[in-house]
């Protein structure tokens, strides 16, 4: 099992989860985070930390495409281990549906730089 970030994170990008991760398996895109599924140790400490409810175990139905998306972008984006401010309009986008199709950016974030 692994955990993955789903579209609830897009345009919110709360980073509470990255500080509690014991193996630094979060990677930062321009407007979302992903988890490297091969680095995740399935401890689950990140899941309750996410204010947007954007972290799910891969054992839930329909998570296969999210595992692949998290894998793809974790290999392209920089690692993030330190909490940052959320996106400026995070509260506005929190809970919106269909964010992957509407807003997802493939651009990398800044990471820990």
């Amino acid at each position: 099992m692994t955990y993955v970030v789903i579209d609830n994170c897009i345009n919110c990008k709360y980073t509470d989860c990255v500080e509690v991760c014991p193996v630094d398996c979060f990677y930062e895109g321009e407007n979302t985070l992903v988890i490297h599924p091969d680095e995740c140790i399935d401890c689950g400490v990140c899941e309750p930390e996410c204010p947007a409810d954007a972290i799910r175990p891969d054992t839930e139905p329909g998570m296969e495409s999210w595992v692949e998306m998290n894998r793809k972008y974790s290999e392209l984006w920089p690692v993030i281990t330190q909490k940052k401010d959320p996106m400026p309009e995070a509260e506005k986008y929190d809970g919106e549906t269909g964010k992957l199709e509407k807003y997802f950016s493939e651009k990398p974030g800044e990471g820990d730089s």
Side-chain angles (χ1 to χ4, degrees):
M1 188 176 89
T2 187
Y3 285 84
V4 293
V5 176
I6 61 172
D7 64 342
N8 293 7
C9 184
I10 298 170
N11 276 1
C12 293
K13 200 165 73 169
Y14 295 104
T15 56
D16 307 64
C17 53
V18 303
E19 277 196 327
V20 298
C21 180
V23 294
D24 301 337
C25 66
F26 281 88
Y27 293 81
E28 184 183 15
E30 180 179 46
N31 67 351
T32 193
L33 301 174
V34 292
I35 295 171
H36 195 301
D38 296 334
E39 295 174 1
C40 176
I41 60 169
D42 316 324
C43 67
V45 296
C46 59
E47 188 179 21
E49 295 299 317
C50 180
D53 193 28
I55 300 173
R56 295 280 198 286
D58 71 344
T59 54
E60 285 188 9
M63 290 294 118
E64 296 83 9
S65 64
W66 290 108
V67 172
E68 291 313 308
M69 180 189 167
N70 276 248
R71 180 184 316 283
K72 176 181 178 178
Y73 290 102
S74 65
E75 293 173 359
L76 299 172
W77 293 346
V79 71
I80 179 171
T81 61
Q82 299 170 6
K83 184 175 177 177
K84 298 180 180 181
D85 290 335
M87 305 266 321
E89 296 187 280
E91 289 183 20
K92 172 185 168 190
Y93 291 101
D94 192 355
E96 183 176 335
T97 59
K99 294 197 290 184
L100 179 65
E101 296 78 20
K102 293 182 208 172
Y103 310 118
F104 177 72
S105 170
E106 293 187 356
K107 295 179 183 174
E110 296 175 4
D112 284 338
S113 59

